[in-house]
Amino acid sequence: MTRGLDWRVQPGGVLRGEIRVPGDKSISHRSIMLASLAEGRSEIDGFLEGEDTRATARIFSQLGVRIETPGPGQRVVHGVGLHGLRAPTQDLDCGNAGTGMRLIAGILAAQSFPSTLIGDDSLSKRPMGRITEPLTQMGARIASSDGKPPLQITPAAALTAIDYSPAVASAQVKSALLLAGLYAPGETVVREPHPTRDYTERMLAAFGWPVSIEPGRVSVRGGGRGTGMAVRVPSDFSSAAFPIVAALVTPGSQVQLRGVGIDARRTGLLAALRMMGAQLEVRPTSLGEADIRIDHTQLRGVDIPEDLVPDMIDEFPALFVAAACANGTTRIRGAAELRVKESDRIAVMAAALRRMGVEVTEYADGVDIVGGGLAGAEVDSAGDHRCAMALCIAAGVAGSCSTITDCANVETSFPDFVQLWGALGGSIEEVAHEFS
Ligand code: S3P
């Protein structure tokens, strides 16, 4: 028996208020991984209590790392050093998390024990060749199911440093190689076609590992040591994207978000929305964090510049809804990666928006969306957390009630979304059901 969760969303609410969205998923994953490989104690604050990041913490516990939870959003990790992980007695379940699986594979490829990484239905369909190929070049031994999970990792004699240029702009590929590179004598180099989020290299450096960061080139020297430290995790810009777009498209709304991480490699959505005419006030509060105030604005369709795509790769489901509410046509290209995320986000969002009466033309690497009025409908999120939250925004401004199916995976990244949405004035009724 599997449990399913649908959302029934009433339109017509006005979104007003001040909220803080949960901790950054990318940084939360990395904080557990790096703190585990460091020596000594690390204290993590603001940790995302989502299913993805909890799965990563569970995996490192299975690998012999003592991780305490003094309170919600807090973890104390007793690092075991680069060579202190222990063989797991069971398969390691990454759940829905591509970041978890790809980065942990880089670490496990270098261990002297075998391990198997598994994931849920969605993760089991996602491409892993992008990491297994370069890791194999380093000497790793990883078997997959035709390039997809599960990943069966067998101990390799020793890893060799490589100089690698990934074909796709991917922080996950870069990170997997840098983490494996911690164990490879010499310098492991990753050259990026387009810069991607740089948390792995910056956090490695903060823990004391020998990392070099230059434009277009990141490297790590194997055999270094990391030392435990305090990590404060900011709010996740990718979660903030939903209240940002919701407030923009919902008439009468004004929302303030507190302490949002505003790294340049993550905030392409703000640039795109400003091109569309959005009124956004971003007030930096400390290094890398800001309060953001959003007022309802009538947006206009634009051509999204292709070089913005990697800086907003997780924000397209929300942007599709902004485009559906804008005057005119929004054109998105160069975004083929969306087809291999937690779902095929181009297909899932195009199908759902069409059901709501929006004109959408699909291309291999993007869409054209003609803005207009949205009709209430039953739409499928395909179990993709970001599609579910984006469709909730669309449902909030539709002409009548909508049902969004398969929403349980919102727990992976934004566990209190329904409560925060309600606190802002929106209305989601959760409808749980069981099916065999
Ligand atoms: C992530 C990188 C991105 C992003 C994902 C998180 C990370 O994936 O889509 O949600 O934490 O490194 P890619 O690097 O595959 O684009």
Side-chain angles (χ1 to χ4, degrees):
M1 204 70 94
T2 316
R3 287 186 61 74
L5 181 70
D6 298 342
W7 286 350
R8 210 166 283 142
V9 180
Q10 292 293 344
V14 171
L15 304 174
R16 296 188 87 87
E18 192 181 303
I19 57 168
R20 180 179 287 269
V21 300
D24 188 281
K25 184 148 73 75
S26 294
I27 298 175
S28 295
H29 277 300
R30 286 159 172 84
S31 66
I32 295 287
M33 297 176 197
L34 300 194
S36 295
L37 300 182
E39 292 168 23
R41 177 187 164 100
S42 291
E43 289 181 15
I44 305 168
D45 195 22
F47 182 76
L48 170 64
E49 297 288 359
E51 283 176 355
D52 277 13
T53 44
R54 289 162 77 117
T56 287
R58 205 174 314 114
I59 286 172
F60 279 86
S61 300
Q62 286 178 267
L63 292 166
V65 181
R66 188 151 67 88
I67 302 177
E68 295 158 31
T69 304
Q74 297 175 339
R75 291 294 184 280
V76 175
V77 180
H78 299 270
V80 295
L82 270 190
H83 300 285
L85 297 178
R86 287 205 308 263
T89 54
Q90 287 178 326
D91 290 352
L92 303 169
D93 190 352
C94 300
N96 192 246
T99 306
M101 183 171 285
R102 294 192 177 117
L103 272 58
I104 293 170
I107 296 170
L108 292 178
Q111 305 302 318
S112 58
F113 51 78
S115 54
T116 300
L117 289 168
I118 59 171
D120 69 4
D121 286 352
S122 149
L123 184 52
S124 300
K125 294 188 193 117
R126 296 182 65 185
M128 292 294 146
R130 55 182 59 195
I131 57 149
T132 58
E133 279 162 25
L135 288 172
T136 303
Q137 283 182 31
M138 294 178 80
R141 296 171 62 200
I142 308 178
S144 66
S145 168
D146 210 9
K148 312 258 165 70
L151 299 181
Q152 281 171 321
I153 304 174
T154 320
L159 296 187
T160 315
I162 57 169
D163 186 324
Y164 193 72
S165 303
V168 284
S170 168
Q172 295 180 354
V173 173
K174 170 176 64 178
S175 302
L177 299 183
L178 293 176
L179 292 170
L182 295 175
Y183 293 87
E187 192 181 26
T188 296
V189 181
V190 183
R191 296 174 199 275
E192 293 200 278
H194 185 286
T196 61
R197 68 191 71 188
D198 56 2
Y199 302 127
T200 302
E201 49 267 46
R202 284 199 285 136
M203 290 176 72
L204 279 171
F207 275 91
W209 271 288
V211 176
S212 149
I213 305 173
E214 293 164 28
R217 181 189 186 278
V218 190
S219 68
V220 64
R221 292 207 150 269
R225 287 170 64 173
T227 308
M229 60 179 281
V231 179
R232 206 173 73 81
V233 183
S235 288
D236 198 325
F237 183 82
S238 294
S239 295
F242 300 104
I244 289 173
V245 170
L248 280 172
V249 302
T250 309
S253 298
Q254 184 190 89
V255 170
Q256 314 231 26
L257 301 175
R258 297 286 176 222
V260 183
I262 49 155
D263 187 275
R265 297 281 73 82
R266 298 288 301 282
T267 49
L269 177 73
L270 295 180
L273 291 172
R274 284 192 171 116
M275 287 175 64
M276 297 173 85
Q279 280 183 39
L280 298 161
E281 194 184 300
V282 179
R283 219 164 348 99
T285 48
S286 66
L287 208 58
E289 284 179 35
D291 292 342
I292 304 179
R293 184 182 127 160
I294 313 103
D295 290 273
H296 165 68
T297 326
Q298 179 56 54
L299 302 174
R300 56 178 179 273
V302 295
D303 290 2
I304 303 294
E306 283 195 26
D307 61 3
L308 266 188
V309 168
D311 294 346
M312 53 182 294
I313 192 65
D314 292 335
E315 281 57 79
F316 280 97
L319 184 83
F320 280 24
V321 174
C325 298
N327 287 330
T329 303
T330 297
R331 290 182 193 82
I332 298 163
R333 295 290 186 280
E337 273 295 296
L338 296 179
R339 296 209 179 265
V340 290
K341 292 294 179 190
E342 286 83 327
S343 69
D344 176 342
R345 288 183 171 159
I346 294 177
V348 169
M349 290 301 297
L353 290 175
R354 278 194 204 110
R355 283 180 73 90
M356 300 182 86
V358 182
E359 192 185 323
V360 184
T361 312
E362 247 188 82
Y363 297 87
D365 65 340
V367 279
D368 287 351
I369 297 175
V370 184
L374 289 152
E378 180 172 317
V379 291
D380 185 16
S381 75
D384 184 320
H385 56 135
R386 300 202 198 283
C387 293
M389 292 184 277
L391 291 171
C392 177
I393 303 171
V397 292
S400 59
C401 180
S402 295
T403 298
I404 306 165
T405 56
D406 208 355
C407 299
N409 278 337
V410 169
E411 286 290 324
T412 61
S413 68
F414 201 153
D416 50 358
F417 179 80
V418 171
Q419 291 72 25
L420 286 181
W421 187 256
L424 288 177
S427 159
I428 302 174
E429 183 194 343
E430 295 184 281
V431 185
H433 56 91
E434 292 190 339
F435 51 92
S436 38

